[in-house]
């Protein structure tokens, strides 16, 4: 059927009649001008894609009627303009596409129908680790090791870029996905198939929201959901509430964008924005650069919102020019946005739309701060850091506690490193990493770090040699302006050499600590510290030996590295004493905002961006030399330990199976609150005593060849064994942290995978019990695929992180939620019972279902299939099965 809104299509420029757009201002509906700008993007996509099948006129009306409908849990479809992937989540997506081609062929269909319809970019940034640091050749050595470890994966990805249409691969060594998106990939306005329309994106990484800072609506989805979008399916979403976040005032001179985002993160956690859009407005927004806005939008998952949107304004347009985008296209972008009422003037309050609620922040009230020691929302003012850490030492084990006995708070362990004697104590800094697109995309904090390093070196300060320092920029542009501005040599003198272009320490690829340091930490059972300019600091994520991890701005990372401890009050205690015996305080070397801005104006120029990005797809010689097969169907290598055809589609038929009641399920694991995807599907190194290690050893590999879990996401045998393998896992069945559980039929304590295998062999279904915020953290499709392969049929939790719940649905695992006011405690559940979950023949979204225990107790829970589309996926056994049946028939 033709689009029912075709009457509002017109050329943007009468001189180019074939370049058209849907002119939303011609709807002549007064409700449009009152919509939040983020909702206008959803509306335009619905109007442009309206076919009365996937997108209906009723959907358009619901979005237009957002002010009334927003509270009614109404489902709307959304077709993003493009998809972005990183290699950890991208490899399993390409594996799934390859396996789907095989499945379609087996069912008698055309395998080449399995092809991205929506443009997809895959940036390889998650594979490189900090194996070498504090040396001038660290970058080259780390990149060489990256290719040595990941050659097989990279060859597979290169095959994918050739076998699938509409898929572009950005090679390793180019930068971090979200910074490359911000500086290069983002269009702001698409010019595709003869139409202009707003750029929008979903990505297989939760920090895809960073692009919201440029006015491109984007958020993270599960890998499974992203694959459906790539195949032309809309995302089914509940029309969100939109919280207006009003920014007022100007930041104080010593405050960085990192301080602002950590303040906002804590504030919005308190407000409660899970499942909502946040849209920024107010005169304070005009005081923020695009890099500042992107930093704030990047940490959207940490404050729990779906998106953190800054509408496009003249500063956004200026950023496109600064980063070397084509000027004619930029002017066309501005003209389109003006025509459809999507160009914002933050100083003009008459443009302020309606919001669900409004909260405010006066930027002048923000103070320098960090977040930690275990969660990004636990903000601590820098002036309180010493006291806060010392309080955490003795506090009960938890997010703000380590439960160290009072008589051990001042324990010291002596050790020798490279012929010199040193001491470690609780609070000693052993990792200091300038890392993550959150901050490396922002010239103000990166140049601030460089200028601080220059002043520190000139003042005679140093960093102890055993501290693992590193600098991993998000793009080559950063290195360019740090070098041109003359600060790179000073960073190197303090140990902050460039170690690679990728996520590195922020995602747990921090590499090994020196053995003497590990021995000292272990000997003293010390709470050692990592300080990083990242966005995540969950326990066990950064490094197994750093129990406390603090998020900080790049200048503060260097400051704490120089101090060597988190137990310092910068206002009263010196960073160090130079060779002349002079005490040097942080205030003596902290650069002013004016200093930083002067350097930024001089050295961050369009030519840099053009030079770096015009050769981004061809500059990596190792990538160019890779030999990839050219067949349209992938030839699986049974000897491979990286790439394996997954069992998801084994036995798939065209006929649907009727959902069945889950009978007498055992509980595999029982959790409390805030179990993250890091706990469920770890992205760090593979422990030598783990089921995954035993599997790899059985395939002839040595521990040196294990690589990380993230690098092996294309192999389901490794990932199933890595599910729930985090050393910091807290399972209520076990009296200590660790990746184990009780196998109830035998009473034995086993590794989680081994217990699940025993249950599976005996034909017993499994469930997982959990508390609040189950599945928080990074978007990980394996956090859903892994439990599915272990035999988990359902999860029963108090609440879910949005993306993870969606991923469970996508794999056919049922997300169940306690009724309001109920939980395992109020219902008296121990987890040792057996659970029968009654699945009725006729299902509807968010219906209540009954659970019967073998004790005779019964209770009801909510089945969290939130939309009819999700129920369709469930009936098909998951979203990929649905797509295969659709393509095959």
């Amino acid at each position: 059927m033709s689009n029912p809104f075709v009457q509002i299509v017109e050329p943007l420029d009468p001189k180019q009649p074939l370049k058209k757009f849907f002119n939303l201002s011609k709807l002549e509906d007064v409700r449009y001008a009152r919509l939040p700008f983020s909702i206008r993007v959803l509306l335009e996509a619905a109007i442009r894609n309206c076919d009365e099948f996937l997108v209906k006129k009723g959907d358009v009306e619901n979005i237009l009627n957002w002010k009334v409908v927003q509270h009614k849990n109404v489902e709307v479809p959304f077709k993003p303009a493009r998809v972005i992937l990183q290699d950890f989540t991208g490899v399993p997506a390409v594996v799934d596409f390859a396996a789907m081609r095989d499945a379609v062929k087996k069912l008698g269909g055309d395998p080449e129908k399995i092809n991205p319809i929506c443009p997809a970019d895959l940036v390889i940034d998650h594979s490189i680790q900090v194996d070498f640091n504090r040396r001038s050749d660290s970058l080259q050595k780390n990149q060489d090791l990256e290719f040595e470890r990941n050659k097989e994966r990279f060859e597979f990805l290169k095959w994918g870029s050739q076998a699938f249409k509409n898929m572009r691969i950005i090679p390793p060594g180019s930068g971090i996905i979200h910074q490359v998106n911000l500086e290069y990939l983002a269009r702001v306005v698409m010019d595709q198939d003869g139409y202009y329309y707003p750029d929008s994106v979903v990505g297989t990484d939760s920090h895809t929201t960073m692009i919201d800072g440029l006015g491109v609506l984007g958020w993270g989805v599960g890998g499974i959901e992203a694959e459906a979008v790539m195949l032309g399916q809309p995302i089914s979403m509940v029309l969100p509430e939109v919280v207006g976040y009003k920014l007022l005032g100007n930041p104080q001179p010593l405050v960085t964008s990192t301080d602002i985002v950590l303040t906002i993160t804590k504030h919005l956690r308190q407000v409660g924005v899970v499942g909502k859009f946040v849209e920024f407005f107010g005169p304070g927004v005009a005081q923020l650069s695009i890099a500042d806005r992107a930093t704030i939008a990047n940490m959207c998952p940490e404050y729990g919102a779906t998106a953190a949107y800054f509408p496009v304004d003249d500063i956004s347009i200026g950023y496109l020019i600064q980063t070397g985008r084509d000027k004619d296209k930029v002017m066309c972008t501005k003209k389109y946005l003006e025509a459809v009422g999507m160009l914002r003037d933050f100083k003009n309050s008459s443009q302020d739309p309606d919001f669900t609620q409004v909260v405010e922040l006066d930027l002048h009230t923000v103070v320098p701060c960090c977040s930690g020691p275990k969660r990004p929302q636990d903000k601590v003012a820098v002036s309180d850091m010493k006291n806060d850490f010392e309080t955490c030492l003795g506090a009960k084990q938890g997010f703000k506690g380590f439960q160290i006995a009072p008589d051990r708070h001042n324990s010291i362990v002596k050790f020798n490193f490279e012929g010199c004697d040193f001491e470690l104590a609780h609070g000693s800094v052993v990792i200091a990493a300038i890392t993550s697109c959150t901050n490396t995309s922002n010239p103000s904090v990166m140049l601030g770090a460089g200028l601080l390093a220059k002043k520190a070196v000139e003042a005679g300060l140093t960093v102890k040699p055993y501290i693992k320092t590193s600098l991993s920029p998000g793009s080559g542009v950063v290195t360019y302006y740090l070098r041109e501005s003359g600060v790179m040599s000073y960073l190197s003198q303090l140990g902050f050499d460039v170690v690679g272009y990728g996520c590195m320490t922020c995602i747990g690829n921090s590499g090994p600590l020196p053995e003497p340091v590990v021995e000292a930490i272990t000997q003293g059972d010390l709470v050692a510290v990592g300080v990083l300019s990242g966005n995540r600091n969950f326990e066990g994520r950064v490094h197994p030996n750093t129990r406390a991890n603090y998020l900080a701005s790049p200048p503060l990372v260097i400051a704490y590295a120089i101090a060597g401890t988190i137990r310092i009050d910068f206002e009263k205690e010196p960073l160090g004493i130079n060779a002349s015996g002079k005490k040097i305080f942080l205030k003596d070397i902290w650069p002013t905002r004016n200093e930083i801005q002067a350097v930024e104006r001089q050295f961050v120029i369009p030519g840099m961006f053009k030079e770096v990005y015009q050769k981004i797809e061809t500059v990596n010689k190792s990538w160019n030399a890779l030999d990839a097969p050219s067949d349209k169907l992938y030839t699986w290598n049974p000897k491979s330990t990286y790439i394996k055809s997954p069992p998801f589609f084994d036995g798939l038929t065209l006929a649907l199976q009727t959902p069945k009641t889950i009978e007498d399920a055992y509980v595999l694991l029982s959790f409390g609150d805030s179990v993250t995807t890091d706990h469920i599907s770890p992205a760090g190194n593979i422990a030598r005593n783990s089921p995954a290690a035993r599997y790899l050893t059985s395939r002839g590999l040595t521990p040196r060849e294990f690589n990380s879990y993230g690098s092996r996401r294309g192999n389901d045998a490794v990932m199933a064994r890595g599910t729930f393998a985090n050393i910091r896992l807290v399972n209520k069945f076990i009296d200590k942290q660790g990746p184990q559980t009780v196998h109830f039929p035998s009473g034995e304590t086993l590794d989680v995978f081994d217990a699940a295998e025993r249950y599976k062999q005996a034909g017993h279904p499994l469930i997982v019990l959990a508390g609040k915020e189950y599945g928080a953290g990074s978007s990980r499709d394996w956090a859903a695929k892994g439990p599915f392969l272990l035999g988990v049929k359902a999860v029963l939790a108090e609440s879910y992180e949005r993306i993870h719940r969606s991923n469970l649905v996508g794999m056919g695992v049922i997300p169940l939620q306690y009724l309001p006011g109920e939980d395992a405690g109020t219902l008296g559940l121990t987890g040792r019972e057996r659970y029968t979950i009654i699945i009725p023949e006729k299902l509807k979204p968010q219906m209540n279902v009954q659970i019967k225990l073998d004790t005779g107790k019964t209770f009801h829970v909510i089945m969290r299939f939130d939309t009819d589309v999700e129920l369709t996926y469930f009936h098909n056994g998951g979203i990929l099965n649905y797509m295969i049946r659709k393509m095959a028939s």
Side-chain angles (χ1 to χ4, degrees):
M1 179 181 172
S2 63
N3 191 309
F5 294 95
V6 69
Q7 76 276 6
I8 65 169
V9 173
E10 61 182 50
L12 183 63
D13 182 347
K15 296 176 184 176
Q16 293 183 298
L18 298 181
K19 292 288 189 82
K20 303 173 183 178
F21 75 111
F22 283 79
N23 191 346
L24 273 61
S25 63
K26 291 203 168 180
L27 289 171
E28 296 180 351
D29 193 312
V30 294
R31 294 173 295 179
Y32 177 66
R34 302 306 308 159
L35 289 176
F37 282 64
S38 52
I39 300 298
R40 297 180 199 188
V41 178
L42 299 184
L43 177 68
E44 191 282 337
I47 286 174
R48 178 169 36 86
N49 291 294
C50 188
D51 59 0
E52 289 296 355
F53 176 59
L54 289 173
V55 184
K56 301 179 179 180
K57 283 185 75 174
D59 298 318
V60 172
E61 171 57 26
N62 280 334
I63 300 172
L64 257 175
N65 203 28
W66 169 85
K67 188 172 182 180
V68 174
V69 169
Q70 58 173 314
H71 306 295
K72 296 184 178 180
N73 229 30
V74 169
E75 167 196 359
V76 294
F78 174 52
K79 276 195 169 186
R82 55 193 178 90
V83 174
I84 193 164
L85 312 103
Q86 36 91 337
D87 54 307
F88 271 17
T89 50
V91 164
V94 180
V95 166
D96 288 347
F97 265 64
M100 288 168 75
R101 278 193 170 182
D102 292 342
V104 168
K105 185 180 181 183
K106 285 178 185 174
L107 292 175
D110 178 4
E112 289 197 49
K113 282 187 177 179
I114 299 293
N115 231 342
I117 296 167
C118 181
D121 295 300
L122 191 155
V123 181
I124 301 176
D125 67 353
H126 272 51
S127 299
I128 191 165
Q129 296 182 192
V130 192
D131 290 287
F132 294 91
N133 68 310
R134 284 182 174 258
R135 45 191 290 174
S136 59
D137 61 350
S138 295
L139 172 62
Q140 189 59 53
K141 283 191 164 292
N142 287 328
Q143 288 183 336
D144 289 346
L145 260 181
E146 177 189 22
F147 265 83
E148 181 185 321
R149 288 172 175 145
N150 297 286
K151 185 183 178 198
E152 198 177 321
R153 295 170 62 244
F154 291 171
E155 285 175 344
F156 174 70
L157 287 174
K158 195 166 185 180
W159 167 81
S161 69
Q162 297 167 357
F164 296 111
K165 300 171 186 173
N166 230 1
M167 179 183 286
R168 171 170 50 177
I169 306 278
I170 304 297
S174 304
I176 302 174
I177 175 173
H178 308 305
Q179 188 162 341
V180 174
N181 194 17
L182 183 73
E183 295 175 351
Y184 175 60
L185 298 175
R187 284 75 147 175
V188 179
V189 168
M190 302 291 289
D191 177 1
Q192 187 113 351
D193 300 326
Y195 284 89
Y196 294 109
Y197 52 94
D199 187 7
S200 58
V201 63
V202 291
T204 56
D205 189 282
S206 51
H207 294 102
T208 300
T209 53
M210 182 168 175
I211 204 62
D212 290 333
L214 184 58
V216 176
L217 185 63
W219 62 85
V221 295
I224 305 152
E225 205 173 7
E227 290 168 37
V229 174
M230 290 164 70
L231 290 165
Q233 296 299 295
I235 286 175
S236 178
M237 61 185 294
V238 173
L239 191 63
E241 296 181 2
V242 183
V243 175
Y245 200 91
K246 189 172 188 177
L247 294 175
L248 304 163
N250 291 306
Q252 295 184 50
L254 299 182
V255 164
T256 67
S257 58
T258 315
D259 304 319
I260 295 171
V261 71
L262 295 180
T263 301
I264 289 173
T265 298
K266 182 174 183 178
H267 185 198
L268 284 175
R269 271 285 172 188
Q270 293 169 336
V271 170
V273 292
V274 173
K276 302 175 185 179
F277 283 4
V278 174
E279 184 167 310
F280 292 86
F281 75 111
V285 177
Q287 306 302 316
L288 301 176
S289 68
I290 293 304
D292 291 338
R293 299 176 195 182
T295 296
I296 293 166
N298 177 285
M299 286 192 71
C300 173
E302 280 65 55
Y303 41 87
T306 299
Y309 191 64
F310 289 83
V312 180
D313 69 346
D314 283 338
I315 294 176
S316 317
I317 299 298
Y319 178 83
L320 295 177
I321 299 292
Q322 184 196 24
T323 49
R325 265 79 165 202
D326 181 271
K327 288 186 179 179
D328 289 339
K329 289 183 178 178
V330 173
M331 290 305 102
C332 194
T333 291
K334 184 174 183 179
K335 184 175 182 179
Y336 167 80
L337 293 169
E338 287 175 328
V340 294
M342 291 191 197
L343 189 68
R344 189 76 162 91
D345 178 358
F346 289 105
K347 295 178 181 177
N348 181 0
S349 61
S350 68
Q351 281 192 4
D352 293 351
D354 294 327
F355 292 112
T356 307
Q357 70 177 112
V358 172
V359 291
E360 294 185 358
L361 175 68
D362 183 346
L363 292 172
H364 192 72
T365 64
V366 177
V367 298
C369 57
C370 300
S371 279
K374 302 182 186 182
R375 294 192 304 182
Q377 65 262 41
D378 293 330
K379 185 191 78 162
V380 187
V382 170
S383 57
D384 295 335
M385 280 287 284
K386 181 178 181 179
N387 288 338
D388 187 80
F389 179 81
E390 291 175 349
T391 300
C392 289
L393 269 183
K396 184 180 177 183
Q397 183 71 243
F399 299 124
K400 294 287 286 185
F402 297 101
Q403 211 161 330
I404 303 296
D407 61 346
R408 292 185 46 241
H409 284 198
N410 295 313
S411 298
I412 289 174
V413 179
K414 298 179 185 295
F415 70 103
N416 186 277
F417 180 75
E418 296 182 346
C420 296
D421 292 329
F422 296 97
E423 294 179 347
L424 282 186
H426 295 297
S428 290
V429 173
V430 295
I431 290 177
I434 298 176
T435 180
S436 173
C437 52
T438 309
N439 284 291
T440 68
S441 62
N442 195 324
S444 66
V445 292
M446 296 303 289
L447 288 168
L451 291 171
L452 184 140
K454 179 176 186 290
K455 293 185 178 188
V457 170
E458 290 170 346
L461 297 177
T462 59
V463 175
K464 293 181 177 68
Y466 63 81
I467 297 176
K468 187 156 193 181
T469 47
S470 61
L471 167 60
S472 48
S475 80
V477 174
V478 179
T479 308
Y480 204 144
Y481 66 66
L482 290 177
R483 189 174 60 238
E484 291 296 305
S485 62
V487 298
M488 183 63 90
S489 62
Y490 296 101
L491 287 162
S492 296
Q493 287 180 65
L494 292 180
F496 290 90
D497 298 279
V498 173
V499 295
Y501 296 95
C503 302
M504 303 188 89
T505 299
C506 186
I507 59 164
N509 287 359
S510 48
L513 288 173
E515 202 57 44
V517 173
V518 174
E519 290 172 0
I521 293 170
T522 305
Q523 179 188 332
D525 191 26
L526 298 176
V527 180
V529 175
V531 184
L532 65 152
S533 63
N535 48 42
R536 293 269 166 85
N537 57 340
F538 299 125
E539 195 173 9
R541 177 185 178 92
V542 174
H543 194 281
N545 295 112
T546 55
R547 285 155 70 184
N549 297 282
Y550 287 91
L551 307 181
S553 66
L556 278 175
V557 170
I558 296 176
Y560 279 114
I562 293 169
T565 180
I566 215 79
R567 298 169 82 171
I568 181 173
D569 184 337
F570 287 131
E571 294 177 11
K572 299 174 183 176
E573 301 172 63
L575 275 176
I577 301 172
N578 66 14
S580 305
K582 182 184 177 183
K583 293 180 178 180
I584 309 296
F585 288 82
L586 181 58
K587 64 184 178 183
D588 299 328
I589 62 170
W590 193 272
T592 66
R593 185 182 296 275
N594 287 340
E595 283 180 271
I596 296 168
Q597 288 176 344
V599 175
E600 184 176 348
R601 279 193 297 271
Q602 184 177 354
F603 292 104
V604 184
I605 56 176
M608 288 183 176
F609 293 88
K610 286 180 179 177
E611 185 174 334
V612 168
Y613 282 113
Q614 69 185 5
K615 54 189 179 183
I616 191 170
E617 292 178 52
T618 57
V619 74
N620 191 314
K621 294 178 182 177
S622 299
W623 176 263
N624 296 340
L626 287 176
D627 185 25
S630 57
D631 300 334
K632 296 300 182 184
L633 290 175
Y634 188 70
T635 304
W636 305 96
N637 178 2
K639 295 180 180 179
S640 174
T641 56
Y642 278 103
I643 306 297
K644 178 177 174 291
S645 181
F648 306 135
F649 315 125
D650 291 354
L652 183 67
T653 63
L654 285 173
L656 293 182
Q657 303 296 313
T658 305
K660 296 177 181 177
T661 289
I662 300 168
E663 295 189 7
D664 283 333
Y666 282 96
V667 177
L668 179 63
L669 295 146
S670 179
F671 295 127
D673 296 341
S674 297
V675 170
T676 71
T677 50
D678 286 336
H679 292 112
I680 305 168
S681 175
N685 292 324
I686 297 171
R688 296 187 181 191
N689 61 346
S690 65
R694 292 195 290 274
Y695 167 79
L696 292 171
T697 301
S698 74
R699 301 298 300 269
L701 274 65
T702 64
R704 183 178 173 274
E705 299 169 307
F706 286 172
N707 211 334
S708 65
Y709 280 110
S711 67
R712 293 191 181 273
R713 286 188 183 185
N715 185 323
D716 62 272
V718 173
M719 294 308 293
R721 287 164 172 82
T723 303
F724 301 116
N726 191 302
I727 60 170
R728 302 295 181 197
L729 194 74
V730 179
N731 174 15
K732 292 180 180 180
F733 299 149
I734 305 293
D735 58 7
K736 61 180 180 179
Q737 289 184 339
Q740 293 189 311
T741 194
V742 175
H743 177 253
F744 289 114
S746 68
E748 291 180 67
T749 296
L750 301 171
D751 287 332
V752 174
F753 174 80
D754 295 335
E757 279 295 288
R758 283 218 201 158
Y759 283 124
K760 189 184 293 185
Q761 288 165 8
H764 297 309
L766 297 170
I767 67 169
V768 169
L769 299 183
K772 299 180 182 71
E773 295 181 335
Y774 182 72
S778 300
S779 157
R780 298 235 177 104
D781 54 343
W782 272 109
K785 289 177 176 176
F788 169 81
L789 290 177
L790 293 183
V792 173
K793 303 298 183 186
V795 176
L796 174 55
E798 292 178 56
S799 64
Y800 293 88
E801 193 277 337
R802 178 185 59 85
I803 300 174
H804 184 62
R805 187 201 62 80
S806 170
N807 276 344
L808 290 173
V809 172
M811 284 309 300
V813 177
I814 304 173
L816 302 171
Q817 188 165 313
Y818 294 103
L819 296 178
E822 294 185 352
D823 55 34
T826 62
L827 292 169
L829 306 180
T830 66
R832 297 172 184 271
E833 310 89 352
R834 295 183 70 175
Y835 292 66
T836 295
I837 302 164
I838 311 298
I839 310 294
E841 280 189 30
K842 292 187 177 179
L843 300 176
K844 59 183 181 180
Q846 296 198 344
M847 71 182 296
N848 288 359
V849 295
Q850 187 182 53
I851 294 181
K852 295 180 179 179
L853 305 182
D854 61 344
T855 61
K857 183 182 181 68
T858 63
F859 59 97
H860 285 83
V861 296
I862 305 165
M863 184 180 279
R864 284 293 310 277
F865 297 125
D866 289 356
T867 65
D868 287 322
V869 171
E870 289 187 345
L871 282 174
T872 299
Y873 295 155
F874 175 64
H875 283 297
N876 277 270
I879 192 170
L880 300 184
N881 293 0
Y882 166 76
M883 291 305 306
I884 288 170
R885 287 191 175 102
K886 183 177 178 182
M887 293 296 180
S889 60

